[in-house]
Amino acid sequence: MLISESNLLVLAEKVVSRYVNKGVVPSREREDTQMIIVEKFLDKQKKIEDNYSGKANITTYCISVLNNMCCEVIRKELKHWKNELDDMPEGDSSNHYSASQKTIIQDEINYLDKILILFDKEKSKINIALSYYYQLELRNTDIEEYNQSYNKENISPIKINNDKINKGDIINNLSDYICQVENKNIKPDAVRMWLKKTTNTIVTRLNGPFGRTHYDQDSFQVLYELYNAQRS
């Protein structure tokens, strides 16, 4: 057995607590989220053990697996959690922490928007790239602004796939689209490197020089999904 159930519970609590502290997982959902990812881990334990190469510390490896599972739960439940917060009556004393949590999330969304504004003319391109990479709804305002900045019209927009699509195909499609708009010969690897560098820059600015937050690639994706859902 890769890890005991008692240690698994401890690690699950640590992973979920990170997202509760960031205001992504509502406090009332803490225990349920912990149990969901523990059950997911146990259900896939054989596969998880088979995929363990032995290069990383077992604890580090298990935390990484649990973190990915937690992000899956967040993405699945995010709208449901947000709707519950919206439906809670104001003035309800039991709603105080939930309201505070909602404010924290909104502050982070607003802060992300300010960071993206700093990219100036590249903002629309970044929003298209991130939305397509995460397979989220593409905004017409971004597409129109991006096309206009290169004086392009009638460019066939990339579309979100209903079926599963691998990351390699996503980057290839994104590269083709950028080449059309910018009239350049840009290789998929260059697009991948640009997107990775840009995302790292955004995450670094979110966290700040004094560690105001501790976003990583997974938690940033969750924040961006919230941000994108609010946009018109």
Side-chain angles (χ1 to χ4, degrees), residues 192-222:
R192 181 185 290 105
M193 291 173 64
W194 166 79
L195 185 57
K196 182 178 181 180
K197 180 181 177 181
T198 301
T199 305
N200 286 340
T201 299
I202 295 171
V203 168
T204 298
R205 291 177 180 175
L206 277 168
N207 290 333
F210 304 109
R212 62 173 289 277
T213 53
H214 301 283
Y215 286 99
D216 54 22
Q217 294 298 322
D218 292 322
S219 53
F220 168 69
Q221 179 176 346
V222 173

Side-chain angles (χ1 to χ4, degrees), residues 13-92:
E13 183 179 0
K14 288 182 178 179
V15 168
V16 174
S17 290
R18 284 178 55 219
Y19 291 102
V20 171
N21 292 337
K22 290 174 184 177
V24 177
V25 175
S27 181
R28 66 183 185 281
E29 303 291 344
R30 180 196 295 265
E31 292 185 6
D32 285 347
T33 305
Q34 287 172 196
M35 295 314 300
I36 288 171
I37 64 173
V38 167
E39 288 174 7
K40 280 177 172 286
F41 189 100
L42 294 175
D43 286 342
K44 298 181 179 180
Q45 189 164 339
K46 178 66 168 61
K47 184 178 180 181
I48 293 169
E49 288 180 2
D50 290 343
N51 288 340
Y52 177 57
S53 65
K55 293 180 181 179
N57 178 278
I58 291 177
T59 299
T60 302
Y61 173 69
C62 290
I63 287 175
S64 176
V65 172
L66 289 167
N67 186 71
N68 289 336
M69 290 176 171
C70 189
C71 287
E72 288 176 8
V73 174
I74 291 169
R75 282 192 284 272
K76 182 180 178 182
E77 300 293 339
L78 208 51
K79 283 188 178 180
H80 172 68
W81 291 341
K82 186 176 183 299
N83 288 339
E84 281 192 347
L85 286 178
D86 290 339
D87 291 341
M88 284 185 177
E90 293 184 11
D92 185 349

Side-chain angles (χ1 to χ4, degrees), residues 115-126 145:
I115 289 172
L116 289 170
I117 288 172
L118 293 175
F119 285 92
D120 196 24
K121 293 181 180 179
E122 207 173 27
K123 180 185 176 185
S124 57
K125 178 181 178 180
I126 292 170
E145 186 177 323

Side-chain angles (χ1 to χ4, degrees), residues 143 146-147 155-158 173-181:
I143 293 170
Y146 183 43
N147 288 352
I155 299 290
S156 299
I158 48 178
N173 294 345
L174 190 56
S175 176
D176 289 343
Y177 176 70
I178 291 173
C179 286
Q180 284 187 68
V181 176

